[in-house]
Amino acid sequence: MDRTSTYTFKIICIFLFSIHSIWAGGSKKKEETSALKKQIYNLHKVDEETSSIPYLERYLDLSKNELYFNLLYAKALLYRNDLSVPRPDEPAEDRINKAKVIQKNYNLSSKLFQENVLHLEKVRPRDPNLGRWYYLWAFSEWFSDNKEKSIKLFQKAVKLDYRLTESYYNIASLYESLGQWQDASLYWRKFEKAEKELEEED
């Protein structure tokens, strides 16, 4: 074999090895994402959102732009129950640090909801779960202390899905916390009326 043929042969071997490596890497990634999906679904079925967080983070490392799994991640952060809650008998610095961690968690949840719920509405405006995602996003804003924004999101949620009658209850509670008693009273009445209509429908 002459020098040119040897060189060509080497190039072909390198190319084939590269193709094999890409294929093997892609196959391995597919297996991992499939296993992660299964784990995430199983945990969310039994309301173990907190336990699903590491799996969601790994899944989103591999598939960053997955809309549905970003929403599940936002939901898991909203329902998270493994963060230490500040206690009155603790030093002030410890309480402040714990509060910051909790706030950061809710802020991330609301950021993810905003990005992905709006994208979902754009690509699937008739998605039957859109109202429910707005409802959860409203809670994340409430817990992030964005009360006015939370009210608007609860209003949108119940507009998209009339069965989300608790939106009226939450809006009334938010208005009460803001000292807006007249608005609160209006939404208490809306809640009672909507609940009655749902009962009659059943």
Side-chain angles (χ1 to χ4, degrees):
M1 189 181 287
D2 60 32
R3 189 174 296 176
T4 304
S5 299
T6 304
Y7 177 75
T8 304
F9 179 72
K10 284 181 179 177
I11 292 296
I12 291 168
C13 287
I14 290 167
F15 175 75
L16 291 172
F17 179 75
S18 299
I19 293 295
H20 176 74
S21 298
I22 291 166
W23 181 84
S27 179
K28 187 178 178 184
K29 180 183 174 182
K30 191 175 178 181
E31 285 177 17
E32 186 176 359
T33 53
S34 179
L36 287 165
K37 271 185 183 180
K38 188 176 179 182
Q39 191 70 34
I40 292 161
Y41 283 137
N42 288 339
L43 288 167
H44 278 252
K45 274 181 190 175
V46 293
D47 299 325
E48 288 287 340
E49 286 87 0
T50 300
S51 302
S52 76
I53 290 173
Y55 300 102
L56 280 161
E57 288 173 341
R58 176 58 186 156
Y59 183 87
L60 291 169
D61 278 343
L62 297 169
S63 306
K64 196 169 288 185
N65 298 318
E66 282 265 9
L67 174 61
Y68 182 66
F69 285 88
N70 271 296
L71 286 168
L72 286 182
Y73 185 36
K75 180 187 172 190
L77 294 173
L78 176 63
Y79 287 166
R80 189 169 200 165
N81 59 18
D82 63 342
L83 298 178
S84 298
V85 179
R87 297 194 319 271
D89 60 336
E90 289 180 311
E93 188 178 350
D94 290 348
R95 292 199 307 274
I96 291 167
N97 288 337
K98 285 181 179 180
K100 281 181 181 177
V101 171
I102 292 170
Q103 192 64 52
K104 187 179 177 183
N105 178 74
Y106 287 133
N107 289 346
L108 177 57
S109 176
S110 61
K111 178 177 178 285
L112 287 165
F113 272 127
Q114 178 160 320
E115 289 172 358
N116 293 282
V117 172
L118 293 178
H119 185 57
L120 176 64
E121 186 172 31
K122 189 176 179 181
V123 297
R124 294 183 63 187
R126 296 186 182 182
D127 189 296
N129 294 313
L130 189 57
R132 174 64 60 178
W133 290 120
Y134 263 99
Y135 184 78
L136 294 174
W137 177 13
F139 272 112
S140 72
E141 295 295 349
W142 188 350
F143 298 159
S144 297
D145 207 29
N146 299 321
K147 293 181 181 180
E148 296 285 358
K149 187 173 181 180
S150 180
I151 287 168
K152 289 177 182 176
L153 293 170
F154 278 126
Q155 289 169 337
K156 181 75 181 271
V158 74
K159 186 179 178 182
L160 287 166
D161 186 346
Y162 73 93
R163 294 166 299 178
L164 297 171
T165 55
E166 284 188 13
S167 294
Y168 296 125
Y169 181 97
N170 296 328
I171 292 167
S173 299
L174 281 159
Y175 274 131
E176 277 196 357
S177 72
L178 291 167
Q180 297 180 32
W181 310 112
Q182 194 172 345
D183 289 322
S185 178
L186 172 65
Y187 276 91
W188 285 126
R189 290 196 300 273
K190 282 192 174 188
F191 171 66
E192 288 168 6
K193 183 184 175 185
E195 283 285 284
K196 188 177 178 182
E197 287 172 354
L198 269 187
E199 284 175 12
E200 288 171 358
E201 190 179 293
D202 292 340

